[in-house]
């Protein structure tokens, strides 16, 4: 069953439907994030681009649905949605956990030969097979809130005030469990290109760890380092949008 190019579903959000657009940008949110994080991206690129933002279960209007705490299963579900879309030249953009989900979705779509992106833009995340021993999902509520505040850093307001963070705790815990238990295959590579974007003061990703994305593509690779922490992209929104525009036009 196909999904029309101007339709939103539980998983797929189109804030500015652009059925006649000749290209597509699929956006994957960070841990605890939602599709609406990419509303400004949609404003920027529609109507020339079909901007699709993925909405994971367990947040906003999907709050009553259980989170999917396995990256592979989450990727499988998203693939089921994306293969129902029309074929268009496509770029994936993911931030943090969304970078890994985008990578796994792209890999599955390449194997199926349907709707695979020509480029993955991986923002704010180390290469898939680069491991750290992390267990934020095992902390109590205050411990998770402390982690989110650390990641916000000087880019305050990314996830809102503490009351909003507390409302998001189930999604934050579930998403952290998913990404912290993920183990990437060192031999897994995309045929498409990868662009890595990273902040020079990100406590979750060093520049060297972001460089590790190079090992996961058979295509071209480039990296761009911005000033700032984990949510550098909010401070450098215009420059990040320029990166996306350049990739969409490739």
């Amino acid at each position: 069953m196909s999904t029309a190019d101007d339709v939103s579903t539980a998983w797929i959000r189109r804030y500015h439907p652009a059925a006649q657009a000749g290209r597509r940008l699929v956006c994957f949110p960070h841990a605890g994030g939602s599709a609406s994080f990419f509303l400004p991206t949609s404003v920027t690129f529609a109507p020339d681009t079909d901007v699709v933002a993925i909405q994971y279960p367990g947040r906003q209007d999907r709050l009553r649905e259980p989170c999917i705490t396995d990256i592979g299963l989450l990727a499988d579900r998203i693939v089921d949605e994306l293969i129902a879309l029309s074929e268009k030249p496509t770029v994936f953009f993911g931030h943090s956990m969304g970078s890994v989900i985008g990578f796994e979705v792209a890999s599955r779509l390449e194997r199926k030969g349907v709707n695979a992106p020509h480029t993955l833009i991986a923002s704010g995340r180390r290469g898939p097979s680069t491991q750290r021993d992390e267990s934020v999902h095992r902390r109590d509520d205050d411990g998770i809130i402390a982690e989110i505040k650390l990641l916000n850093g000087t880019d305050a307001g990314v996830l809102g005030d503490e009351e909003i963070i507390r409302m998001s705790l189930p999604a934050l815990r579930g998403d952290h469990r998913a990404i912290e238990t993920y183990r990437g295959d060192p031999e897994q590579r995309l045929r498409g290109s990868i662009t890595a974007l990273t902040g020079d003061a990100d406590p979750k990703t060093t520049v060297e760890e972001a460089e590790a994305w190079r090992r996961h593509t058979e295509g071209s690779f480039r990296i761009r380092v911005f000033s700032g922490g984990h949510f550098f992209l909010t401070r450098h929104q215009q420059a990040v949008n320029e990166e996306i525009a350049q990739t969409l036009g490739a």
Side-chain angles (χ1 to χ4, degrees), residues 23-164:
R23 60 192 187 184
R24 178 174 293 128
L25 174 66
V26 182
C27 303
F28 300 84
H30 51 277
S34 59
S36 60
F37 182 78
F38 294 105
L39 177 58
T41 306
S42 181
V43 170
T44 298
F45 291 101
D48 295 331
T49 304
D50 176 23
V51 181
V52 170
I54 301 299
Q55 183 79 313
Y56 313 135
R59 65 217 68 212
Q60 291 187 330
D61 58 325
R62 303 190 71 184
L63 187 63
R64 296 184 181 276
E65 300 178 49
C67 294
I68 297 177
T69 58
D70 178 89
I71 294 293
L73 179 57
L74 188 54
D76 288 341
R77 296 295 303 276
I78 295 169
V79 165
D80 290 342
E81 298 290 323
L82 295 185
I83 61 175
L85 303 184
S86 65
E87 286 273 9
K88 292 183 179 183
T90 298
V91 170
F92 280 6
F93 181 93
H95 182 65
S96 193
M97 180 184 79
S99 296
V100 172
I101 296 173
F103 174 73
E104 290 292 340
V105 171
S107 181
R108 286 159 169 76
L109 291 173
E110 284 188 348
R111 291 197 295 268
K112 290 178 178 292
V114 179
N115 283 344
H118 64 74
T119 303
L120 166 67
I121 303 176
S123 167
R125 180 68 190 181
R126 54 192 179 269
S129 60
T130 302
Q131 301 299 327
R132 290 189 185 185
D133 184 16
E134 297 176 315
S135 57
V136 174
H137 70 281
R138 294 197 179 103
R139 297 183 187 177
D140 61 15
D141 290 353
D142 288 340
I144 293 178
I145 290 171
E147 177 73 8
I148 299 310
K149 289 181 175 180
L150 170 67
L151 295 185
N152 274 354
T154 57
D155 302 313
V158 171
L159 291 177
D161 59 27
E162 185 166 325
E163 181 180 355
I164 295 175

Side-chain angles (χ1 to χ4, degrees), residues 3-25:
T3 301
D5 286 351
D6 58 355
V7 169
S8 289
T9 69
W11 288 86
I12 291 174
R13 303 300 161 91
R14 288 179 163 113
Y15 296 109
H16 303 88
Q20 304 306 313
R23 60 192 187 184
R24 178 174 293 128
L25 174 66

